[in-house]
C-alpha cells in the first residue's frame, strides 16, 4: 500500500517496514527551522485536511488522548497516541488503536531548503489480518503532504505579521478542515471586494478629482 508524491530528492525513509505509505514535503525552511514543528504533534496531525478532531488532550508525558473522524475511510478513532523522539531526530507517533501502527516524521536537507518525510507504517499485524482490514487504511497521506506544504509556505511568508502565530494556533488550527476552506474563501472575497472598491475610487479620482 505504498503511496508517493513528487519529491525534490529521493528521501531516506526513517523505517525499514515494508507495508507503508509515505510522502515527502518540500520546504524552503532550513532543517533546523523545520525541526521545531516536530515538538508539537497536534499541529502536524490537525493540518491533515481529512481528519476532523473532536478531542485532543494530554494523557501523560508525550501521550495524548484523541478523538477524530477520518473522512477517507469513514472511521472513528478514539484512543491514545504516544509520541517518541528518537536520538536521530525522527518523531514517531505510536497509534494505540486501528490498523495503522506508527507515523514517522523525519527531515532532510535539500539544495533549496529541506523536506519533511511522513511515513504511515502498517507493519505489525499479520499479512492476512492487514488484508482483511484494508478498509481501515488511511488514504489521506498525499493530501496531508500538500496541506503541510501550504502550511509551511504560509508560515514562512506571514510569520512576521503581529498576531499571526496566535491566530494560527488558537483560531485556525482548532477549526474543522471544511471551516478553514470557507474562511479562506471569505478572505479571498474580502480581498476581491477591497480591490474593486480601490479601483473604483482610483477611476473616480482620475475622472473627477483631477
Amino acid at each position: 500500500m505504498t503511496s508517493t508524491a513528487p519529491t525534490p530528492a529521493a528521501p531516506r525513509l526513517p523505517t525499514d517496514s515494508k507495508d507503508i505509505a509515505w510522502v515527502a514535503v518540500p520546504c524552503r525552511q532550513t532543517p533546523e527551522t523545520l525541526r521545531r514543528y516536530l515538538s508539537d504533534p497536534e499541529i502536524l496531525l490537525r493540518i491533515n485536511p481529512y481528519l476532523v478532531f473532536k478531542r485532543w488532550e494530554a494523557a501523560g508525558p508525550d501521550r495524548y488522548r484523541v478523538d477524530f473522524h477520518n473522512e477517507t475511510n469513514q472511521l472513528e478513532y478514539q484512543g491514545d497516541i504516544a509520541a517518541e523522539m528518537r536520538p536521530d531526530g525522527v518523531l514517531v507517533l505510536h497509534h494505540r488503536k486501528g490498523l495503522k501502527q506508527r507515523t514517522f516524521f523525519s527531515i532532510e536537507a535539500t539544495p533549496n531548503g529541506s523536506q519533511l518525510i511522513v511515513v504511515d507504517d502498517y507493519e505489525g499485524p499479520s499479512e492476512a489480518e492487514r488484508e482483511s482490514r484494508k478498509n481501515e487504511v488511511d488514504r489521506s497521506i498525499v493530501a496531508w503532504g500538500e496541506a503541510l506544504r501550504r502550511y509551511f509556505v504560509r508560515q514562512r511568508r506571514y510569520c512576521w505579521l503581529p498576531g499571526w502565530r496566535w491566530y494560527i494556533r488558537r483560531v485556525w488550527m482548532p477549526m474543522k478542515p471544511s471551516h478553514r476552506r470557507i474562511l479562506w474563501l471569505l478572505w479571498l472575497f474580502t480581498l476581491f471586494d477591497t480591490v474593486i472598491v480601490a479601483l473604483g475610487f482610483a477611476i473616480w479620482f482620475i475622472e473627477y478629482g483631477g
Side-chain angles (χ1 to χ4, degrees):
M1 57 181 67
T2 299
S3 176
T4 64
T7 66
R12 184 177 68 253
L13 300 182
T15 177
D16 295 328
S17 296
K18 304 303 181 184
D19 197 356
I20 61 173
W22 63 269
V23 65
V25 183
C27 307
R28 296 296 297 273
Q29 287 92 335
T30 65
E32 292 72 23
T33 299
L34 198 61
R35 198 164 285 114
R36 299 172 191 167
Y37 294 99
L38 300 189
S39 64
D40 195 340
E42 180 181 3
I43 288 181
L44 297 172
L45 291 178
R46 281 186 179 272
I47 289 173
N48 189 319
Y50 288 105
L51 301 186
V52 181
F53 279 85
K54 303 172 185 176
R55 179 174 63 165
W56 179 286
E57 61 184 30
D62 299 319
R63 194 178 188 92
Y64 308 93
R65 187 160 294 118
V66 301
D67 181 356
F68 63 79
H69 175 73
N70 188 324
E71 293 181 337
T72 67
N73 54 24
Q74 301 303 319
L75 295 179
E76 301 288 332
Y77 183 101
Q78 295 177 327
D80 288 359
I81 293 177
E84 172 197 3
M85 183 62 72
R86 293 193 330 201
D88 60 357
V90 174
L91 173 65
V92 187
L93 300 184
H94 299 271
H95 305 277
R96 304 304 188 189
K97 181 183 177 182
L99 183 62
K100 187 191 305 183
Q101 304 296 298
R102 290 162 293 273
T103 299
F104 296 85
F105 299 88
S106 62
I107 296 169
E108 289 183 350
T110 66
N112 295 321
S114 58
Q115 61 180 356
L116 175 69
I117 298 97
V118 184
V119 180
D120 280 342
D121 182 4
Y122 293 87
E123 194 165 288
S126 67
E127 184 175 351
E129 181 179 355
R130 296 200 303 271
E131 178 63 24
S132 67
R133 298 172 60 188
K134 60 184 179 181
N135 64 302
E136 296 182 33
V137 171
D138 182 355
R139 306 185 188 280
S140 69
I141 192 164
V142 173
W144 186 13
E146 175 58 22
L148 284 165
R149 186 194 65 80
R150 292 196 303 267
Y151 175 78
F152 294 135
V153 167
R154 291 170 185 166
Q155 286 293 94
R156 184 172 179 270
R157 186 175 296 167
Y158 303 120
C159 65
W160 60 272
L161 289 172
W164 173 259
R165 296 180 187 275
W166 179 89
Y167 165 76
I168 289 294
R169 191 65 181 86
R170 302 300 178 185
V171 179
W172 186 83
M173 196 63 65
M175 286 182 173
K176 293 181 179 179
S178 59
H179 292 174
R180 294 177 196 160
R181 291 190 287 269
I182 293 171
L183 180 63
W184 178 244
L185 289 175
L186 289 175
W187 277 110
L188 288 179
F189 288 143
T190 300
L191 178 61
F192 178 77
D193 287 344
T194 302
V195 170
I196 292 299
V197 171
L199 182 62
F201 179 78
I203 293 174
W204 178 89
F205 183 81
I206 291 172
E207 291 291 333
Y208 303 104

